[in-house]
Amino acid sequence: MSPLVKIRSERDQMSAVERRIADFILENAHLLRDYSSQQLANALGISQSSVVKFTQKLGFKGYPDLKYSVGEAIARADNGDAPAMERAGSGQEEGPGALWRRKSEAEEATRLINPPEVIDTIAAAIEQAGRAGKVFIIGLGEDDIYARNFALRLSLLGILTVHNFDTARMTANVSAAGAGDVLLVFSEHGNHPALCKIARYFRERRGQVITVTRHTANPLRTLADIQLLVSAHDERPYIQPLLYQSALQHLLDCVFVLLCESHDDRHAQLLANLERIQLMLEP
């Protein structure tokens, strides 16, 4: 795995000092060959030991090992042999294609922290709940945009979905949950007290909780049976939400495609529902 990919995918789990080191490397990867560990520490106003610990935490033997690995990644990018993710921090000016590149980087980092077996497990849990129970979905504020859209997609597949953006109503709905049911909780930062209470209540009903949050330590994740995690970062406040939304949508698309392809009857149900909707929309 490219060191730049690894740094970006794990950034949200780092301490404040580690994030400063990570951001410097990502933004100045092409200059790293000219920096010793002491020079990097001086540039950031931190101790040299912090730089060494950072490299070792990433799995490298030491700072020279990290610097060499980053140099190789940059060389591959210069030769056109590396994906966009490895070209991060190459010093190129931001241009018309910059947003596409940043979205690709966020999606790649998100893919790395959500192994295929996790996506398979979530699709299987939803499929099972759709056969013998219900799928509850909730998100508040902007999170509800994705919760609502995913609930619609599941409904098109013939999966009984209980969607709500009101915590009081969802609490009442959850009282009808039981073993085999699934709750998907969409919460970017995972720290809303009401959502945590709903997740606890759902687990008391012996249901399975799936959380969709950022790749950060948060209260909601601790209550999850399965976690979907999003890694998307940018210092610009108008760009970071776009990266999060793009990476999250890609994750949900992966789960949806698995559900579509898991059984022929799901695919047939989708086509039938789409045809009915089209007939309703026609004049």
Side-chain angles (χ1 to χ4, degrees):
M1 182 193 304
S2 161
L4 300 178
V5 173
K6 187 175 182 63
I7 291 171
R8 191 174 295 280
S9 65
E10 296 186 9
R11 182 190 181 281
D12 289 340
Q13 292 285 77
M14 295 177 181
S15 67
V17 172
E18 291 169 343
R19 284 198 298 270
R20 288 176 61 194
I21 301 172
D23 290 343
F24 183 91
I25 293 174
L26 291 171
E27 294 167 8
N28 303 280
H30 62 297
L31 299 176
L32 198 64
R33 64 179 181 272
D34 299 323
Y35 279 79
S36 66
S37 58
Q38 185 61 64
Q39 288 171 325
L40 177 57
N42 292 341
L44 294 173
I46 58 177
S47 67
Q48 185 181 21
S49 63
S50 295
V51 175
V52 175
K53 289 177 181 177
F54 172 84
T55 59
Q56 293 174 341
K57 188 174 181 179
L58 287 173
F60 295 95
K61 295 178 181 179
Y63 178 76
D65 190 24
L66 170 63
K67 186 163 68 169
Y68 177 77
S69 184
V70 170
E72 281 194 323
I74 295 300
R76 288 196 301 270
D78 290 341
N79 292 330
D81 298 330
M85 186 69 186
E86 294 192 356
R87 294 195 289 271
S90 62
Q92 298 176 358
E93 293 295 324
E94 296 293 320
L99 182 58
W100 286 108
R101 176 175 62 80
R102 297 293 289 119
K103 285 185 175 182
S104 296
E105 293 166 4
E107 290 173 8
E108 175 69 5
T110 297
R111 181 184 65 81
L112 291 171
I113 59 176
N114 294 276
E117 54 268 25
V118 171
I119 306 297
D120 292 341
T121 300
I122 289 174
I126 294 174
E127 171 64 28
Q128 182 178 356
R131 297 286 179 185
K134 302 174 288 298
V135 177
F136 296 77
I137 301 180
I138 186 170
L140 306 179
E142 289 191 7
D143 290 308
D144 182 55
I145 297 173
Y146 302 94
R148 183 186 300 271
N149 181 263
F150 195 63
L152 173 60
R153 288 186 171 189
L154 295 186
S155 297
L156 290 173
L157 292 174
I159 295 175
L160 179 57
T161 305
V162 180
H163 164 255
N164 217 311
F165 56 86
D166 183 280
T167 55
R169 291 184 180 180
M170 182 55 86
T171 300
N173 291 335
V174 166
S175 65
D181 289 342
V182 166
L183 169 67
L184 277 90
V185 188
F186 289 75
S187 179
E188 179 176 354
H189 301 290
N191 54 14
H192 197 292
L195 295 180
C196 291
K197 291 178 181 178
I198 290 172
R200 290 193 190 94
Y201 185 29
F202 197 83
R203 296 192 67 174
E204 290 173 4
R205 305 292 301 175
R206 296 184 299 160
Q208 195 168 27
V209 176
I210 300 173
T211 59
V212 186
T213 71
R214 277 190 174 275
H215 184 40
T216 56
N218 60 73
L220 190 59
R221 280 183 63 185
T222 64
L223 299 170
D225 296 293
I226 317 173
Q227 305 171 6
L228 271 180
L229 302 170
V230 179
S231 177
H233 171 74
D234 196 283
E235 294 299 331
R236 294 163 292 180
Y238 55 92
I239 295 294
Q240 182 161 275
L242 303 180
L243 304 184
Y244 177 84
Q245 294 159 13
S246 177
L248 171 57
Q249 189 61 62
H250 185 71
L251 263 185
L252 298 178
D253 289 345
C254 290
V255 176
F256 178 70
V257 168
L258 281 178
L259 289 169
C260 288
E261 298 176 347
S262 60
H263 295 283
D264 290 340
D265 57 342
R266 289 290 185 214
H267 188 246
Q269 183 72 62
L270 172 65
L271 295 178
N273 280 330
L274 290 175
E275 184 177 356
R276 292 190 189 99
I277 292 173
Q278 185 60 39
L279 290 173
M280 290 181 63
L281 295 177
E282 291 179 355

